[in-house]
Amino acid sequence: MLRKNWLVKLVVAFLLFGLFFTGCGKKTVQGPPMPPGLGGPGMPGAGSPSGDSSFGSAPLTDEKLRALGITTEEQKREFLRQKEQFENEDIHFDFDSSVIREDAKPILAKKAEFLKKYPTLTITIEGHCDERGTNEYNLALGERRAHSAWQYLVNLGINPERMQMISYGEERPIATGHDEASWAKNRRAHFVIHF
Amino acid sequence: MIGRFNLFFGLVLLIGVTTSWFRAYGQDRVYLDITDPSFRKLPIAVPGFRVDGGGASLSEDLLATTKKDLQISGIFQVLDSRAFFADPQKLGVTAAEIDFGQFRQGGAEYLIRGSYSTDGQNIHLELRFFDVVGRRMLLGKAYDGKVSDRKLMIHRFVDEILKLLTGEGGIFSTKIAFVNKEGKVSKIYMVDFDGSNLTLLTPKEELAMSPSWSPDGRFIAYIGYRGNRTALCLLDVASRYVQDFFLGGVLSGVRFNPQRGLVTVSRSQGGSSPEIVTVNLQGAIVDKVVSGGWDIKASPTWSPDGRKVAYVSNESGNPQIYIYDVNTGSKRRITFSGDYNTSPSWSPKGDLIAYSGIVNGHHQIFVVNPETSQPIQLTTGGGNNEAPTWSPDGRMIAFQSNRSGRYAIWVMLKNGSDARLLTEIGGEQILPSWSPKM
């Protein structure tokens, strides 16, 4: 039954998409092209039961930008710059540790600033691990990493309700080598904005 | 149609299992303990099958299945002596016809003779198991059914032999579920105990983890990723119907409770401590088994009596295995060597917990008696060996290993011997779960 619900939601989402783009014919703000991975029309995402980590990604429309208080081209450029940084700058962890390292603290401080500047944004914090642990334990460890980042941002004044958490353990590496350089990159918390 | 076989076996022969055979071993009903260190595999001869009529040429196929089953049983050493391979058409199938001396001379202590006839889609298969030294038949059965069910007939017969020799049936009606990773996609599959009948169970999943069979073999619980949420999923294996339960928080490591038909899962929510909770089959949390503290509580596994749960915690600073006693509320650590011990799996007999621990940079499978905490290392070598799961008869352990490159599922006897590759498919196979007998 729940499977059916997903399907219904997916169909509804696509229908709404269609309505929005053909019916309203709204122009989007002119600006730099959207960075890849943001989820343009036709991307799986909203309502899809896929494991895509950019769940909830939908096109960044004028309407959504206005809801964030962005009305000028300059504001939009600034937002997109900060958004890119927010989503591309991971924090990293030591092996088998979920302790926030010193090098992660300024990055988290920047993330808190960004979230304070755009107080309606909500995010998902993803916890990841390197391949050396066992799969199931790494899911738990990844959760602790996401939780450490979550707690740090809560301590900096971000409303906990705005931040979801998930763990991918070692199942979604960004570096596929079998060496410390790759492992260090994979032991991370990654931040995804919902639109 | 999965899980239940509808076979109409006609049992027309059931001859000659006598107590005198047991006396040959000294006492009544003394069964073989194949995991005893002094156990020596029983040499057995399996000549070609005799064709008694019908057009189908199945001798090779029946012979290969019989030999593979005997090897998998862990009890027999299948002899390859040419001396046994006289023309199977001329070789007798009954005790009166068989020249036991010839087999004994070739080193065989046991013998299986098979004969069959086919009629269209139907097969009549007769199998006889002989004690070569005592020159008598120990077990004889005839099976009538579809040609397509011939492997199942042999599985049943070898299972009967195991029952006869060890006091309980083997694994010949079991399946092993696991996660197959291909690129970023991880779906749940299952195979029969011998690696055959590969079946995709969750075609829609993109990322599914930690399959766990229910004690009755009807369900597989697992963790499914739904966008940025994890769901506790309950798969009805026969219908493939999946129910998703959202318990809040991040979920991992789901296992059935063998006594109560409940699912136990590790859950963490923002701002509260990680916990191990028990959930009923309607998705409601009925019990918080282990909670408190900020340490990880992962991979719960129940004792067969449902009174204790073993799990992984890093409360000491690195992952170690603990046992929580549900009745007394007491907790104790059971692994003390090494600084990375994870993936516990409680044996069906309750006397051992298998787990993986890092030795010299590689995960190896261990078993530990939960009372004495004395670990025994079962695997060695340069690969990783992880995520053990017990066969329902407690004789074997399946696990994931990358000893041959990619991760695949392997099976070994519980003393660590006779490792064999179970899954020879593309992708990487991890997180096996062995079904109950079905």
Side-chain angles (χ1 to χ4, degrees):
Chain A
M1 198 182 78
L2 280 159
R3 279 321 183 79
K4 263 189 190 152
N5 281 347
W6 279 113
L7 197 66
V8 169
K9 278 182 194 165
L10 190 66
V11 169
V12 170
F14 273 105
L15 285 178
L16 286 176
F17 247 7
L19 270 181
F20 187 79
F21 279 97
T22 58
C24 307
K26 226 173 229 174
K27 273 185 211 155
T28 47
V29 182
Q30 295 295 306
M34 276 183 207
L38 266 184
M43 284 279 289
S48 153
S50 82
D52 193 307
S53 62
S54 54
F55 173 78
S57 288
L60 192 49
T61 59
D62 278 8
E63 201 171 10
K64 284 171 182 166
L65 288 169
R66 273 197 300 277
L68 294 170
I70 296 163
T71 50
T72 69
E73 274 302 310
E74 197 187 330
Q75 283 172 335
K76 181 180 175 183
R77 267 196 297 277
E78 176 62 10
F79 171 74
L80 289 176
R81 190 186 64 74
Q82 289 187 17
K83 170 189 166 300
E84 270 230 64
Q85 190 175 37
F86 184 90
E87 292 196 313
N88 291 338
E89 206 169 7
D90 293 346
I91 62 167
H92 295 95
F93 295 85
D94 290 337
F95 176 69
D96 194 26
S97 166
S98 57
V99 175
I100 299 292
R101 296 196 318 214
E102 284 306 315
D103 63 347
K105 290 177 180 173
I107 299 171
L108 289 168
K110 261 190 288 179
K111 295 195 192 299
E113 261 177 62
F114 176 75
L115 290 169
K116 283 175 182 170
K117 187 170 173 187
Y118 302 103
T120 59
L121 281 183
T122 58
I123 65 166
T124 292
I125 307 173
E126 302 175 356
H128 296 268
C129 303
D130 71 34
E131 64 179 359
R132 286 177 295 167
T134 45
N135 300 79
E136 213 166 79
Y137 184 77
N138 273 343
L139 291 178
L141 178 62
E143 186 281 332
R144 288 289 85 190
R145 287 177 177 165
H147 194 273
S148 293
W150 179 91
Q151 189 65 61
Y152 197 90
L153 292 171
V154 169
N155 292 349
L156 291 176
I158 308 303
N159 180 352
E161 302 293 319
R162 297 173 62 191
M163 300 180 286
Q164 292 200 23
M165 283 173 273
I166 194 160
S167 172
Y168 289 103
E170 63 178 277
E171 312 304 319
R172 293 281 184 272
I174 49 170
T176 52
H178 306 291
D179 47 42
E180 177 51 33
S182 293
W183 294 332
K185 283 180 197 155
N186 290 330
R187 294 191 300 265
R188 70 200 193 277
H190 179 67
F191 300 79
V192 180
I193 300 171
H194 306 162
F195 287 107
Chain B
M1 179 71 208
I2 289 291
R4 297 281 179 276
F5 296 93
N6 291 313
L7 260 190
F8 298 98
F9 284 167
L11 302 183
V12 296
L13 284 178
L14 186 67
I15 319 162
V17 185
T18 63
T19 50
S20 63
W21 177 76
F22 290 102
R23 263 181 244 127
Y25 279 81
Q27 297 137 312
D28 281 359
R29 294 277 153 185
V30 171
Y31 293 116
L32 299 171
D33 178 4
I34 62 161
T35 54
D36 187 301
S38 66
F39 177 73
R40 178 186 58 87
K41 284 190 181 166
L42 310 173
I44 189 167
V46 192
F49 280 54
R50 193 176 79 185
V51 189
D52 291 341
S57 147
L58 299 169
S59 294
E60 283 305 309
D61 179 86
L62 294 168
L63 184 62
T65 303
T66 308
K67 284 182 170 178
K68 189 171 183 194
D69 280 7
L70 291 169
Q71 268 150 3
I72 287 173
S73 76
I75 291 187
F76 292 103
Q77 177 203 356
V78 180
L79 298 176
D80 234 0
S81 167
R82 294 232 170 254
F84 307 143
F85 302 107
D87 182 355
Q89 288 302 116
K90 291 178 186 154
L91 204 58
V93 296
T94 65
E97 298 164 348
I98 290 168
D99 174 9
F100 287 106
Q102 175 207 340
F103 289 101
R104 197 167 177 186
Q105 214 165 15
E109 293 174 16
Y110 295 90
L111 166 70
I112 287 181
R113 276 299 278 140
S115 61
Y116 71 97
S117 59
T118 55
D119 177 14
Q121 293 304 303
N122 298 316
I123 184 169
H124 174 79
L125 177 65
E126 294 187 7
L127 291 159
R128 290 171 172 85
F129 175 56
F130 296 97
D131 171 3
V132 169
V133 181
R135 296 170 177 259
R136 66 170 72 83
M137 186 168 79
L138 302 175
L139 186 67
K141 295 223 162 180
Y143 300 93
D144 286 290
K146 299 278 178 219
V147 169
S148 54
D149 287 327
R150 62 191 183 276
K151 284 196 160 84
L152 193 51
M153 296 171 181
I154 291 171
H155 296 340
R156 294 262 167 101
F157 186 71
V158 177
D159 210 42
E160 291 283 340
I161 292 176
L162 276 189
K163 238 178 244 169
L164 186 68
L165 297 183
T166 69
E168 64 177 311
I171 54 162
F172 294 91
S173 62
T174 63
K175 292 168 183 296
I176 294 172
F178 56 88
V179 172
N180 186 43
K181 289 171 80 165
E182 282 187 281
K184 285 178 94 178
V185 178
S186 296
K187 298 179 192 290
I188 294 171
Y189 288 71
M190 67 176 178
V191 290
D192 287 357
F193 71 96
D194 59 354
S196 64
N197 283 332
L198 176 70
T199 308
L200 170 60
L201 292 173
T202 64
K204 291 178 187 164
E205 296 293 348
E206 295 289 316
L207 178 53
M209 297 290 285
S210 302
S212 171
W213 286 91
S214 65
D216 61 2
R218 187 178 165 198
F219 297 106
I220 292 175
Y222 63 93
I223 302 296
Y225 280 67
R226 305 285 177 262
N228 59 358
R229 291 196 295 172
T230 43
L232 170 59
C233 304
L234 198 59
L235 166 74
D236 184 314
V237 178
S239 71
R240 305 289 159 76
Y241 177 77
V242 177
Q243 278 180 285
D244 288 354
F245 300 119
F246 295 97
L247 309 178
V250 181
L251 307 178
S252 67
V254 53
R255 302 284 187 282
F256 270 89
N257 179 317
Q259 290 297 320
R260 296 170 66 200
L262 299 169
V263 178
T264 298
V265 66
S266 172
R267 177 177 82 151
S268 302
Q269 300 185 97
S272 56
S273 67
E275 55 197 357
I276 291 171
V277 299
T278 295
V279 179
N280 66 21
L281 297 191
Q282 287 72 49
I285 294 175
V286 294
D287 194 15
K288 292 193 177 180
V289 186
V290 188
S291 58
W294 295 100
D295 53 296
I296 285 168
K297 297 166 193 74
S299 305
T301 176
W302 286 94
S303 61
D305 61 9
R307 289 182 182 165
K308 294 172 186 164
V309 65
Y311 63 98
V312 182
S313 166
N314 64 344
E315 68 171 59
S316 70
N318 49 50
Q320 299 293 345
I321 295 164
Y322 294 76
I323 291 176
Y324 179 81
D325 185 317
V326 176
N327 293 337
T328 65
S330 63
K331 177 183 74 178
R332 62 195 170 87
R333 178 174 163 180
I334 61 160
T335 52
F336 297 95
S337 48
D339 56 10
Y340 198 104
N341 295 310
T342 63
S343 38
S345 175
W346 213 310
S347 77
K349 304 232 185 287
D351 57 338
L352 292 171
I353 291 172
Y355 64 96
S356 64
I358 292 185
V359 182
N360 299 327
H362 292 286
H363 296 277
Q364 302 293 357
I365 307 287
F366 290 78
V367 288
V368 62
N369 178 319
E371 300 308 319
T372 64
S373 293
Q374 287 297 318
I376 301 165
Q377 186 174 339
L378 300 184
T379 60
T380 54
N384 289 307
N385 302 289
E386 309 166 37
T389 175
W390 292 86
S391 63
D393 62 7
R395 288 192 194 114
M396 299 186 196
I397 294 171
F399 57 101
Q400 69 184 64
S401 176
N402 66 352
R403 59 179 70 185
S404 62
R406 291 179 294 120
Y407 273 99
I409 308 301
W410 291 67
V411 175
M412 63 184 173
L413 297 182
K414 82 169 180 189
N415 63 7
S417 70
D418 289 47
R420 66 184 163 94
L421 179 61
L422 183 77
T423 54
E424 294 181 78
I425 52 180
E428 295 199 280
Q429 294 84 49
I430 61 170
L431 300 175
S433 173
W434 208 317
S435 81
K437 293 176 192 175
M438 294 194 278

